[in-house]
Amino acid sequence: MSKANLGVLSSGRGSNLQAIMDAIKAGKLNAKIVVVVSDKKESQALERAKQGGITSVHLSPKDYSTRELYDSAVVKILQEYAVDLVVLAGYMRIITSALITPYRNRVMNIHPSLLPSFPGLHSQRQALEHGVKITGVTVHFVDEQVDHGPIIVQAAVPVLDTDTEETLSARILEQEHHIYPLAIQWFAEGRLKIMGRRVIVEGVETVRGGG
Ligand code: GRF
């Protein structure tokens, strides 16, 4: 089977990008990162890409008058590199239909909560402030609404009484690094079937409790 070509969009630290790079290296993910694009020139993500010998591109939003024009420029790059799957990994921009339409059901995002709880920014802080006992992480396909598209996989993370935003974020991040490469591998294997809001992972047994 040929490898899935990934285009990763990241604005900052790039630890999820690194986890994906590491999973590929370890032979756990049958994919190739063909390009990393960042809206931030100084992002660690671009640095990680360079270190890993991956083409990295900085595209400044200042050079585009609208979000749509910016996204069209991103699409041009993704198409140039024959990207199959667009991976949002800490990408701090809201993406428009200029990017979603040409890559319909081929854009993934990772979000540090159990969606639909706590969408938007500072999800870990939102979870603490709300007092939930369990939060977690969600990998989903991207649609036109923020943190909204069909859910591929989630992992639960308990909230401890002693947690601060930092300690909770760190435990969630550990799960992020585990499930993002997994979801991408399922995509690469052609196992993800979208049925309305539901994503069926073919070949994974549903775990049934009770009975
Ligand atoms: C992660 O918590 C991710 O869930 C959220 O942004 C953060 C990015 O972290 N979307 P990193 O840049 O991958 O380290």
Side-chain angles (χ1 to χ4, degrees), residues 93-152:
R93 291 177 64 80
I94 292 173
I95 66 170
T96 66
S97 51
L99 172 49
I100 297 168
T101 304
Y103 283 96
R104 175 75 55 198
N105 298 336
R106 292 192 297 140
V107 183
M108 272 187 200
N109 183 41
I110 189 157
H111 183 79
S113 74
L114 293 176
L115 289 172
S117 289
F118 315 129
L121 295 175
H122 308 301
S123 307
Q124 302 91 337
R125 192 188 307 165
Q126 290 185 56
L128 280 172
E129 283 172 357
H130 198 90
V132 294
K133 300 295 185 192
I134 296 175
T135 183
V137 51
T138 302
V139 178
H140 64 96
F141 284 114
V142 172
D143 65 10
E144 278 76 3
Q145 295 177 54
V146 175
D147 300 330
H148 174 269
I151 291 169
I152 301 162

Side-chain angles (χ1 to χ4, degrees), residues 10 12-17 89-92 109-112 124 137 173 176-177:
S10 181
R13 181 177 57 183
S15 72
N16 278 288
L17 165 66
Y91 189 56
M92 299 310 285
N109 183 41
I110 189 157
H111 183 79
Q124 302 91 337
V137 51
L173 197 61
E176 295 189 31
H177 295 165

Side-chain angles (χ1 to χ4, degrees), residues 17-48:
L17 165 66
Q18 189 66 56
I20 296 163
M21 289 165 62
D22 293 347
I24 292 171
K25 212 167 172 192
K28 292 181 189 158
L29 175 52
N30 189 30
K32 181 172 186 228
I33 303 174
V34 288
V35 64
V36 173
V37 180
S38 182
D39 56 324
K40 296 271 193 300
K41 195 163 189 233
E42 306 301 332
S43 71
Q44 231 180 305
L46 288 180
E47 196 46 49
R48 290 183 197 264

